[in-house]
Amino acid sequence: MDALNLYHQTTLACSKLITQKYSTSFSLGIRVMDQKLHGPIYGIYGFVRFADEIVDTFHHKDKKYLLDKFREDTYEAIDQKISMNPVLHSFQIVVHQYGIEKELIDAFLDSMAMDLDFSLYNDSKYKQYIYGSAEVVGLMCLKVFCEGNQEEYERLKSPACKLGSAFQKVNFLRDIKSDYEERGRVYFPEVDYKTFNRTKKKEIEEDIQKDFDDAYEGIKRLPVGAKIGVKIAYLYYLNLFRKIKKLEPETITLRRVRIPNIKKLSLLLGIYFGSKLGLEE
């Protein structure tokens, strides 16, 4: 292996480490995908995770400066096809290899910037935020899964967006307490955190269920190498969603709902072996 390829592989390994440290569920899903998809998906996750970390975690720092610098460094890495930031270097490799459009990257970074300026979201801003923060991430991953097959990509775009939307909305419900108490945010339009009730919770849940239903139709049509891994992430979030649905609004405003790691592992094993035995679609 020459020195440049060694650098490529080292930066992708950094993005893999970030994924494993930050997300057990996505790590499990990626692990059962075709080996050739691992590096590119790690590269995407490392990029979006660090951008999200800027706006959600570094409260004692100048977040706007950090995010503006991250955006500037991202496009420099893409233009120059190299970066000494390993996360951005691994991401630019994926951008060039799979033709990820600037529009998707812009939309994602714009949504991250919205977290710096908005605490209450109306319907328009809510939809814009979900598109940029979640749906475009699904589209980036779909670019990798389709490996240059534009016809397949266009056919699966809508369900990929629905899957990202479902994941994000479940995150909003799961994190409603920390988003409000730690960051002063309420993402759901016309929701008052202090008077969050069953009616509003049910409306949100019906919307999420429709996203899950529409997304599943796309999962069934995914390329074989990606299908099992995406289905694991889908079922993890579906189980989390079902757990949240059983709880009263007051409960999710008091504590964060989790799926234990042993349950995540059982999902992985069940889907993986079910697929091998021909029991899964």
Coordinates of all heavy atoms in Angstrom, one line a residue, residues 8 41 46 76 103 131 135 137 147 155 166 168 170-171 175 180 187-188 198 208 214 232 244 251 259 268 277 280:
H8 N -5.6 7.5 3.2 CA -7.0 7.3 2.9 C -7.6 6.3 3.9 O -8.6 6.6 4.6 CB -7.3 6.7 1.5 CG -7.0 7.7 0.4 ND1 -6.9 9.1 0.6 CD2 -6.7 7.5 -0.9 CE1 -6.7 9.6 -0.6 NE2 -6.6 8.7 -1.5
I41 N -19.9 4.5 4.2 CA -21.0 4.9 5.2 C -20.4 5.4 6.5 O -20.9 6.4 7.1 CB -21.9 3.7 5.5 CG1 -22.6 3.2 4.2 CG2 -23.0 4.1 6.5 CD1 -23.4 4.3 3.5
G46 N -19.3 9.9 10.1 CA -18.3 10.7 10.8 C -18.5 12.2 10.6 O -18.4 13.0 11.5
E76 N -13.3 23.2 1.1 CA -11.9 23.2 0.8 C -11.4 21.7 0.6 O -10.7 21.4 -0.4 CB -11.0 23.9 1.8 CG -9.5 23.9 1.4 CD -8.7 24.7 2.4 OE1 -9.3 25.3 3.3 OE2 -7.5 24.6 2.3
E103 N -25.7 20.3 -3.2 CA -27.0 20.6 -2.7 C -27.3 19.9 -1.4 O -27.9 20.4 -0.4 CB -28.1 20.4 -3.7 CG -29.5 20.9 -3.3 CD -30.3 19.8 -2.5 OE1 -30.1 18.6 -2.7 OE2 -31.1 20.2 -1.6
Y131 N -35.6 17.9 6.5 CA -35.0 17.6 5.2 C -33.4 17.7 5.3 O -32.7 16.7 4.9 CB -35.5 18.5 4.1 CG -34.7 18.3 2.8 CD1 -35.0 17.2 2.0 CD2 -33.8 19.3 2.3 CE1 -34.3 17.0 0.8 CE2 -33.1 19.1 1.1 CZ -33.4 18.0 0.4 OH -32.7 17.8 -0.8
E135 N -33.1 13.8 6.1 CA -33.5 13.2 4.8 C -32.3 13.2 3.8 O -32.0 12.2 3.1 CB -34.7 13.9 4.1 CG -35.9 13.8 4.9 CD -37.1 14.5 4.3 OE1 -37.0 14.9 3.1 OE2 -38.1 14.7 5.0
V137 N -29.2 13.0 4.6 CA -28.2 12.0 5.1 C -28.6 10.6 4.5 O -27.8 9.9 4.0 CB -28.1 12.0 6.6 CG1 -27.2 10.9 7.1 CG2 -27.7 13.3 7.2
E147 N -24.5 2.8 -6.0 CA -23.2 2.7 -6.7 C -23.3 3.2 -8.1 O -22.8 2.6 -9.1 CB -22.7 1.2 -6.7 CG -22.5 0.7 -5.3 CD -22.0 -0.7 -5.3 OE1 -20.8 -0.9 -5.4 OE2 -22.8 -1.7 -5.3
R155 N -35.6 6.1 -8.1 CA -36.7 5.3 -7.7 C -36.8 5.1 -6.1 O -37.9 5.0 -5.6 CB -36.6 3.9 -8.3 CG -37.8 3.0 -8.1 CD -37.7 1.8 -9.0 NE -36.6 0.9 -8.8 CZ -35.6 0.8 -9.6 NH1 -35.6 1.4 -10.8 NH2 -34.5 0.0 -9.3
A166 N -38.4 9.6 9.6 CA -38.9 8.9 10.7 C -37.9 8.8 11.8 O -38.2 9.0 13.0 CB -39.3 7.4 10.3
Q168 N -35.5 10.9 12.5 CA -35.3 12.2 13.2 C -36.4 12.5 14.1 O -36.2 13.0 15.2 CB -35.1 13.3 12.1 CG -34.8 14.6 12.7 CD -33.4 14.7 13.3 OE1 -33.2 14.1 14.4 NE2 -32.5 15.4 12.7
V170 N -38.4 10.4 15.6 CA -38.3 9.6 16.8 C -37.2 10.2 17.8 O -37.4 10.2 19.0 CB -38.0 8.1 16.5 CG1 -37.6 7.3 17.7 CG2 -39.1 7.5 15.7
N171 N -36.1 10.6 17.2 CA -35.1 11.3 18.0 C -35.7 12.5 18.7 O -35.4 12.7 19.9 CB -33.9 11.8 17.1 CG -33.0 10.6 16.7 OD1 -33.1 9.6 17.3 ND2 -32.2 10.9 15.7
D175 N -35.7 12.7 22.7 CA -34.8 13.8 23.3 C -35.6 15.0 23.7 O -34.9 16.1 23.9 CB -33.7 14.1 22.3 CG -32.8 12.9 22.0 OD1 -32.7 12.0 22.8 OD2 -32.2 13.0 20.9
Y180 N -35.1 20.6 25.2 CA -35.7 21.8 25.8 C -34.9 22.3 27.0 O -34.6 23.5 27.1 CB -37.2 21.4 26.3 CG -37.8 22.6 27.0 CD1 -38.3 23.7 26.2 CD2 -38.0 22.7 28.4 CE1 -39.0 24.8 26.8 CE2 -38.6 23.8 29.0 CZ -39.1 24.8 28.2 OH -39.7 25.9 28.8
Y187 N -38.7 21.2 18.6 CA -38.8 21.1 17.2 C -40.2 21.0 16.6 O -40.5 21.4 15.5 CB -38.0 19.9 16.8 CG -36.5 20.0 16.9 CD1 -35.8 19.4 17.9 CD2 -35.7 20.8 16.0 CE1 -34.4 19.6 18.1 CE2 -34.4 21.0 16.1 CZ -33.7 20.4 17.1 OH -32.3 20.5 17.3
F188 N -41.1 20.3 17.4 CA -42.4 20.0 16.8 C -43.2 21.3 16.8 O -43.3 22.0 17.8 CB -43.2 19.0 17.7 CG -42.5 17.6 17.7 CD1 -41.9 17.1 18.8 CD2 -42.5 16.9 16.5 CE1 -41.3 15.9 18.8 CE2 -41.9 15.6 16.5 CZ -41.3 15.1 17.7
R198 N -51.5 14.2 25.5 CA -51.7 13.0 24.7 C -52.2 13.3 23.2 O -51.8 12.6 22.3 CB -52.8 12.2 25.4 CG -52.4 11.5 26.6 CD -53.6 10.7 27.2 NE -53.2 10.0 28.4 CZ -54.1 9.3 29.1 NH1 -55.3 9.0 28.6 NH2 -53.7 8.7 30.3
I208 N -45.3 10.0 12.3 CA -44.1 9.1 12.3 C -44.4 7.7 11.7 O -43.7 7.2 10.9 CB -43.5 9.0 13.7 CG1 -43.0 10.4 14.1 CG2 -42.4 8.0 13.7 CD1 -42.5 10.4 15.6
D214 N -44.1 4.1 4.7 CA -43.6 4.5 3.4 C -42.1 4.1 3.2 O -41.7 3.6 2.1 CB -43.7 6.0 3.2 CG -45.2 6.4 3.1 OD1 -46.1 5.6 2.9 OD2 -45.4 7.7 3.2
I232 N -31.9 -3.3 10.0 CA -31.6 -3.3 11.4 C -31.8 -2.0 12.0 O -32.4 -1.8 13.1 CB -30.1 -3.8 11.6 CG1 -30.1 -5.3 11.4 CG2 -29.6 -3.5 13.0 CD1 -28.7 -5.9 11.3
I244 N -41.9 4.3 23.0 CA -42.3 5.6 23.3 C -43.8 5.8 23.3 O -44.4 6.4 24.1 CB -41.6 6.6 22.4 CG1 -40.1 6.7 22.6 CG2 -42.2 8.0 22.5 CD1 -39.3 7.5 21.6
T251 N -44.1 11.1 31.0 CA -42.9 10.2 31.2 C -41.8 10.6 30.3 O -40.6 10.7 30.7 CB -43.3 8.8 30.9 OG1 -44.4 8.4 31.7 CG2 -42.1 7.8 31.2
I259 N -33.2 1.8 24.2 CA -33.3 0.4 23.9 C -32.0 -0.2 24.4 O -30.9 0.2 24.0 CB -33.4 0.1 22.3 CG1 -34.7 0.7 21.8 CG2 -33.3 -1.4 22.1 CD1 -35.9 0.0 22.2
L268 N -30.1 -7.6 15.8 CA -29.1 -7.9 14.8 C -29.1 -9.4 14.4 O -29.1 -9.8 13.3 CB -27.7 -7.4 15.3 CG -26.5 -7.9 14.5 CD1 -26.4 -7.2 13.2 CD2 -25.2 -7.6 15.3
L277 N -31.5 -17.6 6.4 CA -32.4 -18.8 6.3 C -33.6 -18.5 5.3 O -34.5 -19.4 5.2 CB -33.0 -19.2 7.7 CG -31.9 -19.7 8.7 CD1 -32.5 -19.8 10.1 CD2 -31.4 -21.0 8.2
E280 N -36.5 -13.6 5.9 CA -36.7 -12.1 5.8 C -36.9 -11.8 4.3 O -36.3 -12.3 3.5 CB -35.6 -11.3 6.4 CG -35.4 -11.5 7.9 CD -36.4 -10.8 8.7 OE1 -37.0 -9.9 8.2 OE2 -36.7 -11.3 9.9

